[in-house]
Amino acid sequence: MLSLITFLPFIGGLIILALPKERKELIRGVAVVSSGLALLVSILAWVKFDAATGGWDSMQLVERFSWIPTFGIQYAVGIDGLSLPMILLTTVLSVVAMIASFGIETRIKEYFFWFLLLETGMLGVFVSLDMFLFYVFWEITLVPMYFLIGIWGGPKREYAAVKFFLYTLAGSVLMLLGILALYFASAPHTFDIVELTRQSSTFVGTRFIWVFLALFVGFAVKVPVFPFHTWLPLAHVEAPTAVSVILAGVLLKMGTYGLLRVSFSILPEATKWFSPYLLGLAVINIVYGAFCAMSQKDMKRMVAYSSVNHMGYCLLGMAAITGTNPAAGLSGAVMQMVTHGIITGSLFLLVGVLYDQAHTRNIDDFGGLGARLPVFAGILTVQAMASLGLPGLAGFVAEFLCYLGAFGLREQLFWVCVSVIGIVVTAAFFLKLIKDVFLGTFNPRWEGVLSEMKTRELITVVPLVALTILIGVYPTFLIQKMGPTLEQLILHVVGK
């Protein structure tokens, strides 16, 4: 089942390559159907998954075959309560992104092929149980994203694509060194993630601190963690709308997922040592990202910097693993990964709706749109409120749990309190966005230019709004799926 989910998009991409480039509607249809089938099978996996036995040492839906037996490399995939929400998030946002890409008119055959290959790479990262396979899928995501930004992006697309590629590749090299170090330190030598986790008690000492740091930099570039974040705003601004949705919604989560799946699980002693530093980086991400977003005039750049801010909450929840309430912290971190993907993905779609008509994202160019575009204004306001953490919406649940866990860090409470500044600033810049764009005097420049959202645009955004409200009102269905896995991870790392 997991191989089917992973490779259905790739099969769709191969079918697209065989189609004539003039059959644009057929190409779009194949892309949506193949991605939609992956979503359908991932929903079946969600239903079939037994949360009560979902620990990291009892993976479910496992498929394991010897791949390169000389070096013990396997094709091994499986899921637990950590990977399952990421898989569903990926398949949901991929279908949305495919539909949102219908406006692409140039080289659409190549566009959808790269997009489907990207989806396979992302899904492969979340299902891999072998470090070699994990690294292969991790690297696969680089190439499609490079071309999607570099060919179909904005005026500075080549520079943005190269910067994204070099940053991520540099991080990947360090991650590879960390993986090789773990392979040679294990006995017998193995790339098996579950087996490496079982041997984690032997990975102690100074040299494994360095291994942890090498892996951390590799994941931190993708999150992105300050000071490795500078590729993100440029990549978002230059990328097509649908690519920004996937970039913010899924690719950033590969970094936080890698931290939990690899760093925390395999190197628990180094995790405890690094926890205070992780808290410091979380506070910087939250506060710095919020102030940077506040200073932006470009809506897309503002949402991009808000991602730096929101991924800081993920790190805050993870740092809480050494506190007195680690379950809340880790649940908040994983919840934040899901809710940020849904909320920020929809915000990028909404910014794209406005840009497609106005060809500008400058906040100062707008005003009074609330009365002219009530549906658009209403949806964007709901998602902005969710992003700033309004109770009843998904963002609040995630941030609340992150702070519930973080306040268990008794010796570092000062820094946790400092990070609260980020919540206030986040509220300020989203409220300012709503005021400047929807309230006040209507700019006559847009008379007859701007119109309400079209049916296709509503089809992409409304499901994400529904999920935002559903998770905000009833988060239990998500927490119950990941709870046992996270409890076992906490027990494994801190022994309580």
Side-chain angles (χ1 to χ4, degrees), residues 83-117:
S83 51
L84 184 61
M86 297 298 104
I87 292 167
L88 203 58
L89 175 69
T90 304
T91 52
V92 168
L93 288 181
S94 293
V95 172
V96 167
M98 294 301 164
I99 297 172
S101 298
F102 279 13
I104 296 290
E105 290 292 342
T106 57
R107 302 170 70 173
I108 69 166
K109 189 171 165 176
E110 297 158 72
Y111 177 87
F112 282 106
F113 169 75
W114 287 124
F115 220 131
L116 290 166
L117 180 61

Side-chain angles (χ1 to χ4, degrees), residues 446-459:
W446 306 118
E447 192 70 58
V449 175
L450 300 181
S451 59
E452 267 293 8
M453 296 177 71
K454 299 178 178 64
T455 304
R456 177 174 61 82
E457 294 163 344
L458 287 170
I459 289 172

Side-chain angles (χ1 to χ4, degrees), residues 8-21 23-35 93-120 144 147-148 151-152 240 242-243 456:
L8 267 172
F10 180 61
I11 293 169
L14 293 179
I15 294 171
I16 284 174
L17 285 183
L19 295 174
K21 64 181 180 182
R23 302 289 302 275
K24 292 183 178 181
E25 292 304 319
L26 183 58
I27 291 170
R28 292 180 180 121
V30 170
V32 172
V33 168
S34 55
S35 195
L93 288 181
S94 293
V95 172
V96 167
M98 294 301 164
I99 297 172
S101 298
F102 279 13
I104 296 290
E105 290 292 342
T106 57
R107 302 170 70 173
I108 69 166
K109 189 171 165 176
E110 297 158 72
Y111 177 87
F112 282 106
F113 169 75
W114 287 124
F115 220 131
L116 290 166
L117 180 61
L118 175 65
E119 184 180 356
T120 288
F147 286 115
L148 287 169
I151 297 176
W152 292 274
V243 178
R456 177 174 61 82

